[in-house]
Amino acid sequence: MPYGFSEPSTAAPTRVPAPASRTPHGTAPTPPGLRARTADALRHAWPALAAYTAVRALGLLVFTVWAHRDHRGVRHLLMESWDCDWYLKIAQNGYADELGTRIDGNNLAFFPLYPLLVRAGDALAPWLPRGAAGLSVSVAASLLAAWGIFAVGDRLYGRRTGVVLAVLWGSLPVALVQWMGYTESLFTALCAWSLYAVLSGRWLWAGSLAALAGLTRPTGVAVAAAVSLTALLALCRPSATRPLRPLLGALVAPLGWLAYVGWVGLRLGRWDGYFAVQKLWRNEWDGGVATYRRMRDLFVTERPALFVAMVTVVLLGTVVLFVLSAGDRQPLPLLVFSGLLLVIVLGSSGVYFPRARFLLPGFPLLLPIAVALARARAHVLVTLLTTAALMSAVCGGHMLLGWHGPP
């Protein structure tokens, strides 16, 4: 049954709570501590985490065999290639101090949280090869993301749907980048747990995680808007209690994104510094004109490569999924997040083929599929998810090895 957004409740409908501890005299029970609650939540989520890990391990295995066959370096591709190298250089050398005139001389388009974590990892383990810290951050964040995605699906539609949702996210055509030195896993983890915190009424957590997401990717403004809007609407309800917490969550959520955009402006000595950087990268918001023209050319005048055709199918599919999500009356924060993510990605004029990757964090768009699959018989469900995992593995290998371009 579809769920609309209502006053948040902290009670998860399907989870069996850990037994409360008792005082030595057998008086009133005390609630379990943080460690006990975390262990209980982890036991509840383990099927999703195990299935997600199996899917991504399959993708990595296929990619490794493919790369060795083509005499390509697996470590270099996963840790040091394309955007991975940008983040590694930021972690090592910091940011540019002027706008410049060349794309390859300006790294201010990349947000700072991920390279800060990479720098911390390098400092803690300097003996690791270049890029290992970044890959470790991404793999760990991908597991946290799968857990958060499961938590959202479980809260709205039950445990089975949560597991399916996490597996679907790990089976997307471009899911290989979840285990690369890219920011998508970290960003998705922060978004998923921020949205879960909104659904469960934990406004300070929601705002803080949204602020961290805003320090990770430019699309962090989408989750910040989802948190702030939902919090402000909660304040307007006559039944609202503890209004200070929603207000603080609404105010904190956009601070990460605003802080970095403001810092770039100060560093370059112009108020529109960050947007000037994006213009240098030929990445401006044009309302979708460039996206429409590119799709039109692909369908009318060109014979697109397989990967580009796959990207086009993914982009069109996400629009359909958003319509289905709205028809299912998904909670408002999920719809706001997914909708703004689509507006930003499809409305920008930048490079076309990475856009499927940019939409990876939009896991709420997969909820209509997850709900439908969760109702299927077990053997049908396993067959469909296994097929999706195999197709994802093949797409990932083609993306990095057959396409010969940045994902």
Side-chain angles (χ1 to χ4, degrees):
M1 181 177 69
Y3 282 71
F5 180 74
S6 59
E7 183 70 22
S9 170
T10 57
T14 59
R15 182 168 306 168
V16 178
S21 60
R22 294 186 178 272
T23 63
H25 300 289
T27 58
T30 57
L34 177 61
R35 181 178 298 181
R37 294 198 303 271
T38 303
D40 175 56
L42 188 57
R43 283 192 295 270
H44 189 68
W46 79 263
L49 298 179
Y52 169 79
T53 302
V55 168
R56 292 307 337 128
L58 173 64
L60 181 62
L61 176 62
V62 171
F63 170 73
T64 301
V65 172
W66 194 337
H68 281 303
R69 189 197 66 180
D70 289 358
H71 306 288
R72 306 281 298 278
V74 174
R75 185 180 71 84
H76 170 75
L77 289 170
L78 295 181
M79 300 184 188
E80 302 176 332
S81 59
W82 303 300
D83 285 6
C84 304
D85 189 53
W86 280 97
Y87 288 115
L88 293 176
K89 288 177 179 177
I90 292 171
Q92 182 178 2
N93 304 316
Y95 282 102
D97 54 9
E98 59 182 13
L99 181 61
T101 58
R102 293 169 37 242
I103 292 178
D104 59 2
N106 193 298
N107 55 19
L108 289 165
F110 297 89
F111 277 54
L113 182 58
Y114 181 78
L116 283 174
L117 294 176
V118 172
R119 186 168 185 169
D122 286 337
L124 292 173
W127 60 86
L128 291 176
R130 184 176 187 264
L135 182 61
S136 299
V137 169
S138 294
V139 173
S142 75
L143 295 174
L144 289 174
W147 190 357
I149 291 168
F150 162 80
V152 171
D154 175 38
R155 183 174 185 85
L156 295 177
Y157 297 100
R159 191 184 193 193
R160 186 181 176 96
T161 299
V163 173
V164 174
L165 185 63
V167 173
L168 286 176
W169 183 70
S171 302
L172 290 171
V174 293
L176 181 61
V177 300
Q178 295 169 9
W179 282 13
M180 289 180 62
Y182 276 55
T183 59
E184 272 67 28
S185 290
L186 176 62
F187 182 67
T188 305
L190 293 169
C191 291
W193 284 109
S194 177
L195 293 171
Y196 178 78
V198 171
L199 295 176
S200 56
R202 297 174 173 89
W203 298 109
L204 293 179
W205 275 109
S208 300
L209 292 169
L212 290 175
L215 288 171
T216 307
R217 291 197 59 80
T219 44
V221 69
V223 69
V227 172
S228 295
L229 177 61
T230 310
L232 293 175
L233 289 176
L235 285 174
C236 298
R237 293 192 181 94
S239 59
T241 59
R242 296 182 179 179
L244 182 60
R245 293 187 178 184
L247 180 60
L248 288 176
L251 294 175
V252 169
L255 290 184
W257 189 87
L258 292 173
Y260 182 68
V261 171
W263 179 82
V264 173
L266 291 174
R267 190 171 182 85
L268 297 180
R270 50 187 296 180
W271 70 270
D272 64 339
Y274 177 75
F275 303 100
V277 171
Q278 290 290 349
K279 186 175 181 179
L280 179 66
W281 281 80
R282 302 183 183 89
N283 189 23
E284 299 178 89
W285 197 84
D286 63 0
V289 174
T291 302
Y292 166 75
R293 289 175 177 172
R294 183 64 178 132
M295 287 184 175
R296 181 195 61 192
D297 292 342
L298 288 172
F299 283 115
V300 176
T301 63
E302 299 181 15
R303 297 181 61 185
L306 177 61
F307 179 66
V308 178
M310 181 196 72
V311 169
T312 304
V313 171
V314 169
L315 297 183
L316 294 174
T318 54
V319 175
V320 174
L321 289 174
F322 180 76
V323 174
L324 293 176
S325 299
D328 285 344
R329 296 176 61 198
Q330 276 187 17
L332 178 64
L334 303 188
L335 289 175
V336 172
F337 170 65
S338 300
L340 285 179
L341 187 66
L342 284 172
V343 167
I344 294 170
V345 173
L346 299 182
S348 299
S349 61
V351 182
Y352 182 75
F353 48 82
R355 299 187 189 202
R357 169 170 65 89
F358 296 161
L359 290 173
L360 259 179
F363 71 91
L365 295 169
L366 298 172
L367 269 171
I369 302 176
V371 171
L373 289 179
R375 296 169 179 162
R377 294 177 181 269
H379 68 279
V380 174
L381 176 61
V382 171
T383 300
L384 292 175
L385 292 181
T386 301
T387 302
L390 289 171
M391 293 178 62
S392 173
V394 173
C395 289
H398 180 74
M399 176 179 67
L400 261 67
L401 300 168
W403 169 245
H404 299 293

